[in-house]
Amino acid sequence: MKMYIIRHGQTPWNARKCLQGRSDVDLNENGIYLAELTGKALRDVPFAMAFTSPLIRAKHTAQCILAGREVPIIEDERLIEISFGIYEGCCYTEENRQVPQQWIENFFHAPQDYVAAPGGESLDDVEKRTRDFMEDICSRKELQDKTILVSTHGCALRGLLNSIRESNREDYWHGGVSKNCAVSIVTCNRGEKPVLVEENHIYY
């Protein structure tokens, strides 16, 4: 199996540096453009099916990439973004910070000290469900000779990749949040450990 894992295209909230989490925000014009460019670059990849987070920004990205193809797109809750609880929709820029500075610093730069906001989700929970997705998909006999697309989010994508490599919580982000429409490629043979072949490839 070959798996192309992509972070969704840009949204208005991405542009303003606001926390989206489970908020259902669609792509902006630039996000659609980036997804379409990525789709053109991947036009010769023989995708058999796609799995996507149920949130519109991830679904729309998958639709842009697979435009003109008869490829089934399946929603999977395990690919949804981390919930930021009461801080959803809040911005975190220096000039417009609406969340506690230490809290947001921990999330991006000291994840080992990150504590979920009230009503939010922990990184432990994100890693558990994304690992479950990866193990499930890689074990499916009917997908062993297939190429699939996985459309997800920044934090959830990190959970997926961290599930197949040895890493400590301190290194959760492994160099930073993936850019919008960045693609990582994983190969997996049933019964064997998945292999990360390429990470955060940009096609624009």
Side-chain angles (χ1 to χ4, degrees):
M1 179 197 303
K2 199 169 190 178
M3 190 181 307
Y4 286 70
I5 308 174
I6 187 169
R7 184 188 174 203
H8 61 79
Q10 189 186 62
T11 73
W13 287 21
N14 285 148
R16 299 199 306 269
K17 296 191 182 299
C18 296
L19 298 169
Q20 293 179 112
R22 304 288 175 84
S23 299
D24 212 5
V25 184
D26 202 355
L27 305 180
N28 60 16
E29 185 175 336
N30 185 51
I32 294 171
Y33 175 67
L34 297 182
E36 289 176 344
L37 282 181
T38 305
K40 289 178 181 178
L42 300 177
R43 63 184 174 275
D44 294 328
V45 177
F47 292 114
M49 64 193 316
F51 294 92
T52 179
S53 156
L55 297 177
I56 186 63
R57 58 191 184 272
K59 288 191 292 183
H60 197 172
T61 299
Q63 289 164 353
C64 288
I65 290 173
L66 299 171
R69 309 198 209 187
E70 295 295 325
V71 177
I73 299 176
I74 301 168
E75 294 182 21
D76 195 306
E77 287 282 344
R78 293 172 295 183
L79 296 172
I80 203 167
E81 183 59 305
I82 188 172
S83 169
F84 291 111
I86 63 171
Y87 295 141
E88 298 242 336
C90 294
C91 296
Y92 55 91
T93 60
E94 287 289 339
E95 62 275 10
N96 185 26
R97 183 179 290 114
Q98 300 170 320
V99 297
Q101 181 176 358
Q102 191 59 59
W103 179 83
I104 196 67
E105 285 289 324
N106 286 348
F107 181 69
F108 286 117
H109 304 296
Q112 70 276 10
D113 297 324
Y114 178 74
V115 177
E121 184 181 23
S122 70
L123 290 174
D124 282 340
D125 287 340
V126 174
E127 289 189 319
K128 180 179 179 181
R129 60 179 168 81
T130 51
R131 182 182 299 109
D132 181 72
F133 173 86
M134 185 66 74
E135 292 175 352
D136 173 25
I137 297 303
C138 288
S139 70
R140 295 190 188 184
K141 185 177 180 180
E142 70 275 15
L143 296 179
Q144 291 311 296
D145 61 346
K146 300 293 191 298
T147 299
I148 66 173
L149 176 68
V150 176
S151 186
T152 186
H153 309 265
C155 188
L157 188 152
R158 280 294 160 206
L160 289 168
L161 298 186
N162 289 343
S163 73
I164 64 175
R165 62 184 169 203
E166 298 297 328
S167 61
N168 297 320
R169 177 57 54 78
E170 290 87 345
D171 194 32
Y172 184 88
W173 294 106
H174 202 70
V177 181
S178 299
K179 292 184 178 180
N180 293 114
C181 287
V183 177
S184 296
I185 301 175
V186 172
T187 58
C188 180
N189 295 315
R190 195 166 180 230
E192 298 180 9
K193 185 176 177 61
V195 177
L196 180 58
V197 176
E198 189 169 11
E199 187 170 4
N200 294 332
H201 189 102
I202 301 296
Y203 293 94
Y204 55 86

